[in-house]
């Protein structure tokens, strides 16, 4: 009998937390399949290389389920709204995604760019007021509020309600702790209120003009396509998932400010920015691991049998630096010629719905920051600012001098 020896990665290892790119990269070079060890959860199978990771993310034999996510304790009346598109597969997932996908196309993201630019400019105008001496925390006062303001505008959350969505979003970003659990009832109530307000407005408007208006219109025309529970769930999920660019923007700023040659390149040639954002997603995107899938049956992978029900993930951080796909992969190169796509937004049926919006938003944010603050600089080394998180590459703060 063939015995397969796979590299194992302990996600609580300080070395993993400090530098997952190197640790995951070593596993990738040893084998295309590894096992992740998480105390209390048991091992998770992991695809380490680009081709295997991409294939698994698009393979119907591996599915996302409720058990793929860590869920906080919530009151019983909130439970019906906790099952989101992310936990669905097949026709059920496709039905709901199809309803909102038109609002997140590259064309719609480009059309929404002027609104994003106005939001970015307003936040930048306020930055000096938040400065403590010569320093300001760009994470707290720019990278975190920006995506929430953008997604609220796109979805159609009433402007007067957006400050509380900012607070809820901050609780969610902080993780599945007590603050997150306490925020859940308010989030659900806020989503119900937003639906009711948009439904009332829609009676007086012909053009819905936003995602929520379109969902209300669809439900009014054919209630079988979208239930009341589904529309409320869709609203809160879209808004909170819309915070995805927060860590990407913060990581991108830190990366550019830590690489003067790359910073100089994008400053001297703004046309590089779209490609630079793709490279930054590849090189320092926040997703280190894909959300775990579950094997729907026994699956043979690289000589090993992944049993039915086992959790399987992709090491995004390893795949995006796979030398089989990317030349000199550990080097940040904003002028890199596009080749095989990175997996920063995953792949397959659950490819990030808001990818186009995140791309344009990051382009707008970086362009405006570099234009408005020609002397922008880090106020502390990035390695001292990292949050210890084996699944997400993120900063706990981003102090800069303007």
């Amino acid at each position: 009998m063939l015995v397969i020896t796979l590299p194992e990665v302990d996600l609580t290892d300080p070395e993993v937390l400090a530098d997952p790119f190197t640790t995951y990269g070593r596993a990738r070079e040893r084998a295309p399949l590894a096992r992740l060890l998480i105390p209390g959860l048991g091992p998770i199978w992991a695809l380490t290389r680009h081709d295997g990771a991409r294939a698994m993310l698009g393979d119907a034999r591996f599915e996302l389920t409720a058990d793929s996510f860590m869920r906080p304790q919530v009151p019983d009346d909130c439970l019906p709204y906790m099952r989101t598109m992310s936990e669905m597969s097949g026709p059920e997932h496709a039905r709901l995604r199809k309803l909102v996908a038109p609002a997140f196309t590259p064309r719609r993201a480009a059309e929404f760019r002027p609104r994003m630019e106005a939001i970015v400019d307003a936040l930048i105008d306020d930055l000096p007021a938040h400065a403590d001496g010569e320093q300001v925390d760009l994470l707290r006062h720019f990278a975190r509020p920006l995506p929430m303001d953008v997604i609220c505008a796109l979805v159609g959350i009433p402007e007067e309600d957006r400050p509380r969505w900012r607070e809820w979003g901050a609780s969610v970003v902080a993780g599945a702790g007590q603050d997150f659990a306490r925020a859940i009832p308010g989030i659900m109530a806020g989503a119900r209120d937003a639906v009711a307000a948009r439904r009332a407005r829609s009676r007086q408007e012909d053009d819905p003009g936003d995602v929520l208006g379109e969902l209300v219109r669809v439900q009014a025309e054919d209630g079988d396509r979208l239930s009341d529970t589904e529309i409320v769930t869709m609203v809160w999920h879209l808004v909170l998932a819309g915070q995805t660019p927060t860590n990407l923007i913060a990581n991108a700023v830190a990366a550019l400010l830590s690489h003067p040659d790359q910073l100089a390149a994008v400053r001297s040639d703004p046309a590089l920015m779209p490609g630079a954002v793709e490279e930054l997603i590849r090189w320092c995107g926040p997703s280190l691991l894909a959300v775990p899938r579950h094997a729907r049956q026994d699956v043979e992978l690289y000589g090993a049998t992944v049993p039915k029900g086992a959790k399987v993930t992709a090491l995004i951080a390893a795949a995006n630096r796979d030398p089989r796909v990317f030349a000199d992969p550990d080097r940040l190169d904003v002028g890199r010629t596009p080749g095989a796509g990175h997996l920063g937004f995953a792949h397959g049926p659950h490819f990030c719905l808001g990818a186009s919006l995140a791309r344009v938003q990051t382009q707008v944010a970086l362009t405006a920051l570099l234009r408005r603050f020609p002397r922008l600089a880090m106020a502390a080394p990035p390695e001292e600012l990292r949050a210890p998180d084996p699944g997400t590459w993120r900063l706990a703060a981003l102090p800069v001098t303007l």
Side-chain angles (χ1 to χ4, degrees):
M1 179 179 177
L2 178 64
V3 177
I4 305 296
T5 302
L6 301 178
E8 295 186 340
V9 180
D10 181 351
L11 295 191
T12 64
D13 187 330
E15 188 177 357
V16 175
L17 297 174
D19 184 5
F21 298 99
T22 296
T23 308
Y24 295 167
R26 282 200 297 262
R28 178 195 62 228
E29 296 312 305
R30 284 184 57 193
L33 189 65
R35 287 160 64 89
L36 307 185
L37 306 180
I38 307 175
L41 294 181
I44 297 178
W45 301 78
L47 282 302
T48 65
R49 297 175 184 171
H50 189 278
D51 60 348
R54 189 177 188 276
M56 187 278 291
L57 293 172
D59 191 332
R61 295 175 298 175
F62 303 98
E63 64 177 351
L64 288 171
T65 70
D67 291 337
S68 297
F69 301 87
M70 296 182 66
R71 179 176 288 174
Q73 293 293 320
V74 301
D76 289 346
D77 63 316
C78 293
L79 288 175
Y81 306 110
M82 292 300 291
R83 187 168 182 265
T84 69
M85 276 194 302
S86 295
E87 301 176 10
M88 301 174 187
S89 59
E92 186 181 27
H93 172 261
R95 173 179 63 87
L96 293 178
R97 187 172 176 118
K98 185 177 181 180
L99 292 176
V100 293
F104 294 91
T105 62
R107 180 180 63 82
R108 286 292 295 274
E111 292 172 350
F112 206 67
R113 189 178 188 116
R115 292 283 298 278
M116 287 189 263
E117 290 173 338
I119 293 170
V120 165
D121 287 342
L123 289 170
I124 286 179
D125 288 342
D126 287 344
L127 280 178
H130 295 296
D132 182 5
E134 296 183 352
Q135 295 183 20
V136 64
D137 184 353
L138 270 188
L139 178 62
R140 180 180 179 184
H141 300 295
F142 183 73
R144 188 170 290 154
L146 170 58
M148 180 57 77
D149 288 358
V150 167
I151 195 64
C152 280
L154 182 68
V155 170
I157 299 296
E159 195 153 350
E160 62 272 18
D161 293 338
R162 293 176 192 175
R164 60 176 179 162
W165 280 96
R166 273 194 186 185
E167 293 178 8
W168 291 330
S171 297
V172 172
V173 168
Q178 289 301 310
D179 288 345
F180 181 21
R182 281 193 290 265
I184 292 293
I187 291 169
M188 304 309 176
R192 288 194 296 267
D193 291 346
V195 172
R198 196 64 183 86
R199 192 171 278 139
R201 284 171 51 207
S202 293
R203 298 191 187 103
Q204 307 164 15
E205 300 177 3
D206 294 328
D207 178 15
D210 51 47
V211 175
L212 186 47
E214 178 63 18
L215 293 176
V216 166
R217 182 191 66 77
V218 166
Q219 189 187 45
E221 291 179 355
D222 183 0
D224 290 338
R225 293 178 64 193
L226 191 66
S227 69
D228 284 342
T229 297
E230 286 174 336
I231 194 172
V232 170
T233 302
M234 188 86 76
V235 169
W236 80 256
H237 184 226
L238 287 175
V239 173
L240 295 185
Q243 296 184 102
T244 297
T246 290
N247 292 321
L248 171 58
I249 292 169
N251 288 350
V253 170
L256 288 176
L257 296 184
S258 303
H259 292 78
D261 57 332
Q262 303 302 301
L263 177 63
V266 292
R267 281 193 185 279
S268 63
D269 185 2
L272 287 176
M273 188 57 77
V277 167
E278 295 305 306
E279 172 69 350
L280 288 160
I281 297 169
R282 182 196 72 82
W283 193 81
C284 63
S287 296
L288 297 172
L289 306 172
V291 176
R293 274 70 172 158
H294 289 82
R296 302 177 65 182
Q297 62 192 66
D298 288 355
V299 181
E300 291 293 324
L301 291 177
Y302 302 104
T305 300
V306 176
K308 178 181 179 180
K311 287 186 176 182
V312 184
T313 188
L315 286 182
I316 302 297
N320 280 347
R321 297 197 184 191
D322 188 343
R324 298 157 189 80
V325 177
F326 305 101
D328 197 5
D330 291 323
R331 181 170 64 91
L332 176 64
D333 179 5
V334 297
R336 185 181 294 273
T337 301
H342 60 72
L343 299 177
F345 293 120
H347 179 69
H350 286 274
F351 178 80
C352 178
L353 182 66
S356 294
L357 191 69
R359 286 179 162 115
V360 175
Q361 191 175 158
T362 305
Q363 294 169 24
V364 170
L366 295 178
T367 299
L369 282 172
L370 298 183
R371 182 183 68 247
R372 293 281 291 273
F373 303 113
R375 293 188 296 275
L376 188 68
M378 294 291 296
E383 57 270 19
E384 296 179 4
L385 305 170
R386 288 286 162 201
D389 186 336
T392 305
W393 187 239
R394 60 188 178 92
L395 296 164
L398 181 53
V400 298
T401 55
L402 303 176

